[in-house]
Amino acid sequence: NWQIFPVDSRSVDFLGYCFNHERTRIRKRIKKKCARMIYKNRTIESVNSYKGWMTHADSIHLMKKLKMS
């Protein structure tokens, strides 16, 4: 029993998401960029693109924290 890439101890980082057995999360770098964009009051279109990205991950609490829901 061996794996080429052990995903039990760490997640797979791919296309802006971190995939794990239990959940799918967004990269930390992307969360920081989104928070900065909201703080600087950028256009609604750019904020909505991040919101669309977050809907495909397990990030309900993050969206509530950033007041995007």
Side-chain angles (χ1 to χ4, degrees):
N1 276 338
W2 60 276
Q3 295 177 351
I4 295 173
F5 186 79
V7 294
D8 293 335
S9 60
R10 58 183 178 178
S11 58
V12 177
D13 189 14
F14 183 67
L15 292 176
Y17 298 101
C18 292
F19 297 99
N20 202 341
H21 286 293
E22 295 88 25
R23 64 184 63 92
T24 302
R25 293 188 174 181
I26 294 180
R27 286 183 186 162
K28 187 176 184 179
R29 175 178 33 184
I30 293 171
K31 288 189 273 188
K32 286 182 178 181
K33 282 183 180 181
C34 179
R36 283 187 205 126
M37 190 170 288
I38 291 171
Y39 179 73
K40 291 181 180 180
N41 294 326
R42 296 292 174 142
T43 62
I44 194 73
E45 291 85 12
S46 55
V47 174
N48 281 339
S49 66
Y50 281 104
K51 185 177 180 180
W53 206 342
M54 288 183 195
T55 58
H56 297 288
D58 301 328
S59 60
I60 294 169
H61 297 292
L62 176 64
M63 290 172 67
K64 286 180 183 177
K65 186 175 181 179
L66 295 175
K67 298 176 183 164
M68 294 176 70
S69 59

